Amino acid sequence: MMITAIVGVNWGDEGKGRMVDLLSAEHDVVVRFQGGNNAGHTIINDYGKFALNLLPSGIFRPGVVNVLGPGTVIDLEHLAKEIEYVRACGITINTGNLKVSDRAIICFPFHRDQDRLEEERLVGKKYGSTVRGIAPVYGDKYLKKGIQVGELLYPKYMADRVSDLLEWKNAVLTSVYGGEPHTLEATLSWLKEYGGKARNFICDTRKLLEEAVIEDKNILLEGQLGALRDIHYGIYPMTTSSSPLTAFAPIGAGLFSRPIDNVIGVVKAFSTCVGEGPFVTELDDDVGLRLREKGGGEYGAATGRPRRTGHLDLVASEFGMQVQQVDEIALTKLDVLSSEPVLKVCVGYEIRGNIETEFPLTPLLYEAKPVYEELPGWDEDITGIRTYDGLPVNAQLYVEYIEEHLGKPVCYISVGPQREEIIVR
Ligand code: GDP
């Protein structure tokens, strides 16, 4: 048996979904352990192209059990619609291959409203929210004002709690933001409609995972976003509201009886960042535009927002590697760098006259200027290459340079978005 985590080392959008889709072939269970429908995992496989927000990326593999763990937050309406969308493409989703934790927290329409109203209030100082209610629902979870998915199985208990919760939430929506209140009737009817659709998927997923361990099953833990957006260690407050770190995965999944065997850290061959926050190697020139367009269009899968692009940042990536405790690197989008004459790689930050190699706290990130080393590029299109030796020498040099800096082997090199466009070393 094997427990693998696939996690992001950068700001998210590294291509974790394509790696999970690929490696789920060797796993029995795939678990999302944090986040909600703010995720956007793009997957291209035999069934088509998908942007999954909530469903684990193992959903396309027959026989794989997909779990939304206790660390996730679930917009029941979005879940119902995403299930319909994926089913419409010929994928089977039933109570055998999808399980939703009874301890996950429900994301309500009033969370979405609050998210939007708060972003509007912030005007020029936005956090870059996806406006899907994720920050308000995680906030409520830790205020102990959340509703667990499993409460759907106890309607009377849940209705009483929703009533109490709504009284407080409406006070916030109306008096803080001047927004519209949500009625108990509309909220309960939303729960009835979409909760009804989720009901049969609900289970104690911790038990399910512990049984999977006893049965020697292979389990894959799928992270959303990346280390630099972690609520504790990321570029706070321009982070997500949950922890996409490997160390959180056992809690967010419900897997306590065995440690993780292998952590695959997904690193993009250059940098991208959706949303706000300091981004030291950001490019606002032709090179940045070229990287965005060549990457098949770097636009956020959940929001469609253009991704900010930059040179590879090894200072940030090294920090990401440490906090993710990566064993093996999956390097993605190497193909996008083809025909770049020179490849710049950030190896230090100049801050207040000093060269720093440690990733600092957010205030200093705003002051940091990148210190670059340059590596030679290559002209060849590498999308069709399937062996490491088949790569142009300069592409190999780039990979080995990254390995040396980050101190872990690059075991996967993704050279295109399709399932088979990968070099396994
Ligand atoms: P995730 O959230 O980490 O799963 O990443 P996203 O799906 O948001 O973004 C990754 C994007 O890059 C998607 O559009 C993928 O189809 C695409 N992609 C993944 N790997 C590669 C690759 O090696 N080359 C190219 N050109 N595109 C890739």
Side-chain angles (χ1 to χ4, degrees):
M1 91 153 296
M2 184 83 177
I3 302 180
T4 310
I6 297 188
V7 290
V9 170
N10 308 128
W11 294 264
D13 306 319
E14 297 93 348
K16 297 173 295 294
R18 70 97 66 235
M19 290 305 301
V20 175
D21 178 60
L22 181 80
L23 296 179
S24 55
E26 299 152 18
H27 290 81
D28 305 290
V29 185
V30 176
V31 194
R32 274 275 310 269
F33 57 86
Q34 43 76 228
N37 59 317
N38 52 337
H41 294 174
T42 310
I43 291 160
I44 304 175
N45 57 29
D46 301 343
Y47 299 99
K49 179 173 179 175
F50 300 86
L52 294 183
N53 300 134
L54 256 179
L55 293 171
S57 305
I59 200 71
F60 303 100
R61 299 278 187 189
V64 170
V65 177
N66 293 272
V67 178
L68 288 167
T72 61
V73 290
I74 306 210
D75 180 330
L76 297 168
E77 182 176 349
H78 194 101
L79 179 65
K81 289 179 177 164
E82 193 165 312
I83 290 172
E84 267 173 45
Y85 149 69
V86 173
R87 272 184 182 153
C89 299
I91 317 308
T92 302
I93 300 182
N94 56 31
T95 54
N97 71 343
L98 180 64
K99 308 281 181 185
V100 179
S101 167
D102 52 3
R103 291 175 187 274
I105 299 286
I106 298 176
C107 182
F108 283 89
F110 52 71
H111 290 121
R112 290 182 224 141
D113 260 13
Q114 189 181 347
D115 207 352
R116 177 183 51 78
L117 289 164
E118 175 60 7
E119 282 291 284
E120 283 168 15
R121 191 189 69 82
L122 287 166
V123 203
K125 294 189 166 180
K126 291 181 180 179
Y127 285 21
S129 167
T130 55
V131 206
R132 293 192 169 175
I134 306 303
V137 69
Y138 270 112
D140 287 1
K141 169 176 171 166
Y142 287 101
L143 282 172
K144 297 169 286 181
K145 291 186 188 299
I147 303 281
Q148 292 184 316
V149 169
E151 291 180 46
L152 287 164
L153 304 175
Y154 307 92
K156 169 78 179 76
Y157 172 90
M158 184 184 64
D160 289 346
R161 292 200 61 235
V162 171
S163 171
D164 291 346
L165 178 65
L166 210 51
E167 211 177 286
W168 166 76
K169 186 57 79 177
N170 279 336
V172 174
L173 290 176
T174 55
S175 37
V176 177
Y177 297 106
E180 291 294 316
H182 286 239
T183 66
L184 180 61
E185 196 189 1
T187 307
L188 290 179
S189 121
W190 182 87
L191 276 172
K192 195 167 175 206
E193 178 171 2
Y194 297 109
K197 294 187 181 192
R199 223 185 131 88
N200 291 341
F201 299 113
I202 301 172
C203 76
D204 178 349
T205 58
R206 185 196 62 82
K207 231 163 123 185
L208 182 133
L209 290 177
E210 297 304 357
E211 277 162 21
V213 168
I214 291 165
E215 289 164 17
D216 264 356
K217 299 262 170 74
N218 290 336
I219 300 172
L220 201 163
L221 304 166
E222 175 180 16
Q224 177 227 357
L225 274 164
L228 306 170
R229 294 288 193 194
D230 174 64
I231 182 87
H232 307 101
Y233 288 91
I235 52 171
Y236 192 84
M238 270 68 68
T239 56
T240 196
S241 305
S242 60
S243 180
L245 297 188
T246 311
F248 179 76
I251 294 173
L255 188 51
F256 300 99
S257 57
R258 247 190 78 120
I260 295 169
D261 298 288
N262 189 26
V263 180
I264 301 176
V266 188
V267 177
K268 200 180 261 195
F270 54 98
S271 299
T272 62
C273 168
V274 180
E276 311 299 320
F279 184 29
V280 178
T281 64
E282 182 161 17
L283 291 163
D284 52 10
D285 59 4
D286 286 354
V287 181
L289 275 178
R290 205 158 60 225
L291 292 178
R292 180 185 298 158
E293 297 313 320
K294 275 197 326 196
E298 286 282 3
Y299 297 91
T303 57
R305 293 177 294 184
R307 288 178 188 151
R308 299 153 71 195
T309 49
H311 293 301
L312 178 65
D313 184 340
L314 289 178
V315 178
S317 299
E318 202 175 342
F319 176 75
M321 293 281 294
Q322 280 170 18
V323 296
Q324 289 290 26
Q325 282 298 295
V326 169
D327 297 307
E328 298 180 338
I329 298 170
L331 185 68
T332 57
K333 294 212 155 188
L334 192 65
D335 55 300
V336 174
L337 296 183
S338 292
S339 72
E340 287 300 317
V342 174
L343 301 171
K344 285 192 176 186
V345 179
C346 175
V347 292
Y349 290 167
E350 190 190 324
I351 302 173
R352 301 184 179 183
N354 298 318
I355 307 292
E356 309 284 352
T357 50
E358 295 263 327
F359 191 73
L361 208 64
T362 308
L364 287 181
L365 278 175
Y366 281 110
E367 296 181 27
K369 301 270 173 297
V371 177
Y372 288 117
E373 282 189 1
E374 292 190 355
L375 293 162
W378 60 92
D379 283 331
E380 299 88 328
D381 175 4
I382 58 171
T383 323
I385 295 174
R386 297 288 173 268
T387 61
Y388 187 68
D389 293 342
L391 282 173
V393 172
N394 286 349
Q396 294 186 21
L397 271 178
Y398 192 70
V399 172
E400 285 158 29
Y401 185 90
I402 292 170
E403 270 184 332
E404 201 170 305
H405 251 83
L406 299 184
K408 293 290 171 183
V410 173
C411 296
Y412 303 89
I413 302 165
S414 178
V415 291
Q418 310 274 345
R419 201 179 252 179
E420 67 287 355
E421 288 171 336
I422 191 104
I423 296 169
V424 182
R425 274 170 100 198

